Amino acid sequence: MLWENDDATRVTLSEGMRFDEHPVLVETAIQLQEYFAKKRKVFDSL
């Protein structure tokens, strides 16, 4: 999704790349889920 007047070429993703295949994004999602469930107050460095 792009914002109005956003440059579509500023971020490139490999076609077919899924976030659940990248370990940093998987860990980020876990930590955010814990935070919003009020089970985490501090984030680990990735």
Side-chain angles (χ1 to χ4, degrees):
M1 182 169 126
L2 297 175
W3 297 100
E4 185 178 345
N5 301 320
D6 207 359
D7 179 5
T9 62
R10 72 180 172 86
V11 177
T12 57
L13 296 175
S14 299
E15 200 169 308
M17 183 172 194
R18 297 172 43 113
F19 86 92
D20 60 351
E21 294 172 351
H22 195 290
V24 171
L25 295 178
V26 170
E27 183 60 27
T28 300
I30 291 168
Q31 290 189 35
L32 285 171
Q33 289 170 353
E34 292 172 351
Y35 174 78
F36 289 116
K38 300 188 188 292
K39 296 179 180 176
R40 173 182 288 272
K41 293 183 181 183
V42 177
F43 293 98
D44 298 332
S45 250
L46 300 177

